[in-house]
Amino acid sequence: MGRVYNFSAGPAVLPEEVLKEAAAEMLNYNGTGMSVMEMSHRSKAYKEIIETAETDLRDLMHIPDNYKVLFLQGGASQQFAMIPMNLMKHGEADYIVTGQWAKKAYQEAQKYGKANKIASSEDRTFSYIPDVSDLPISENADYVYICENNTIYGTKYRELPDTKGKVLVSDVSSCFLSEPVDVSRYGVIYGGVQKNIGPAGVVIVIIREDLITDDVLDGTPTMLKYKTHADADSLYNTPPAYGIYICGKVFKWLKSKGGLGAMKEYNEKKAKILYDFLDTSRLFKGTVEKKDRSLMNVPFVTGDEELDAKFVKESQEAGLVNLKGHRTVGGMRASIYNAMPMEGVKALVEFMKKFEEENL
Ligand SMILES: *Cc1c(COP(=O)(O)O)cnc(C)c1O
């Protein structure tokens, strides 16, 4: 089998151009006589890689100068602890629970202080985003936390919550770089890169400088302090060097595609093809409230578990892989990140049409 259309939620599809470039540079990066995996993270060649990656990310997202970009490890899940450890100066924070990742972050925060669940969509299996225009924000909250794109359930915030002046912290793991964002509206934007940017092992944290302080929870390990990494430009210890190198290549690829505005347009077109089909299909249906649909993760069902399983099996055989829904929700899910080409989504819809004819 050649390359497949990979609809995995993460680790996920990467641009083929990037993989080819990395392959060509594998044995001898830029005349250094070695692979990026083999070089010192303190070398001149590597310094240039990480600095260029940061510059390109800043260009793509128009990151203001008073924000730091950190390349960290530990997955997005480690941020569930790092955020309260570093930001809960008054021991309290507000959480909006719109899915499993937000719930995990909320539960983790309870270990470090008072975490308030100020809104949730769990009553209808996280199939929508609650109204966040006038929430009971806690007076002492150090921040308001959201998960902006809910990877498992396929919902996305259209409007950011009114935090009533509190710092907004957002997990953007599964929508990172999928569309333009106004960084200045956030205190922290972070995500694991293995969904929409690069290989697993790198977490990018974009954080406003005034939030980076020594005033952290007692006992916070050195490695879990933002200040440690900010002061050292993400080179306090050995960073996930190869992963950052691939991220850098993806940033260049995104620039060559016209940046995040162009990506948004492309992603909207791709998602529309799939959602339009789901809205007219007699067999398949989307599981999410229309106004809250994600451009990146598209869950759908037939309503019959056996038929769902048959679909997953036959689509796999047709080279459309990883369409099985998350183990906690069942059904199907197509993740159509930046690197999923339009042709992949068209092939999926054609396959769904055929399956519908054969199975109705
Ligand atoms: C995948 C995911 C996570 C967890 O990421 P890890 O890097 O595996 O810890 C957290 N939040 C969101 C939105 C995700 O999609």
Side-chain angles (χ1 to χ4, degrees), residues 78-228:
Q78 184 166 281
Q79 295 305 308
F80 300 169
M82 266 180 96
I83 287 159
M85 285 173 138
N86 283 269
L87 302 186
M88 265 191 183
K89 317 280 185 202
H90 303 91
E92 190 169 347
D94 287 349
Y95 280 73
I96 302 177
V97 178
T98 52
Q100 282 206 28
W101 297 118
K103 193 173 178 177
K104 282 193 170 162
Y106 163 65
Q107 287 167 340
E108 184 72 11
Q110 290 168 18
K111 296 185 167 191
Y112 307 105
K114 187 165 180 282
N116 310 305
K117 190 196 315 186
I118 56 166
S120 164
S121 53
E122 196 162 12
D123 59 337
R124 278 186 275 139
T125 2
F126 300 122
S127 59
Y128 68 102
I129 300 288
D131 180 0
V132 293
S133 58
D134 185 19
L135 293 169
I137 307 289
S138 310
E139 205 172 305
N140 284 325
D142 289 302
Y143 59 88
V144 176
Y145 182 100
I146 63 169
C147 176
E148 205 160 324
N149 184 80
N150 296 282
T151 324
I152 296 172
Y153 300 94
T155 58
K156 162 103 204 292
Y157 284 78
R158 287 282 152 267
E159 300 290 336
L160 293 176
D162 179 355
T163 62
K164 303 183 180 169
K166 304 293 186 189
V167 166
L168 179 64
V169 175
S170 180
D171 174 358
V172 297
S173 294
S174 50
C175 59
F176 225 150
L177 305 181
S178 64
E179 56 185 275
V181 291
D182 178 357
V183 175
S184 70
R185 296 191 61 187
Y186 302 80
V188 179
I189 304 181
Y190 80 92
V193 304
Q194 74 273 23
K195 307 285 163 67
N196 201 26
I197 303 180
V202 182
V203 177
I204 298 175
V205 177
I206 300 162
I207 177 168
R208 215 173 61 207
E209 268 167 4
D210 61 286
L211 299 172
I212 306 170
T213 68
D214 275 318
D215 175 23
V216 298
L217 189 83
D218 278 350
T220 298
T222 307
M223 278 293 288
L224 298 189
K225 270 173 68 173
Y226 289 126
K227 193 160 191 305
T228 302

Side-chain angles (χ1 to χ4, degrees), residues 310-324 332 348 351 355:
K310 185 169 183 235
F311 178 84
V312 169
K313 181 171 175 287
E314 291 182 7
S315 57
Q316 181 93 13
E317 286 160 8
L320 306 163
V321 312
N322 289 321
L323 282 162
K324 196 171 186 327
M332 282 74 72
L348 171 60
F351 183 83
F355 188 88

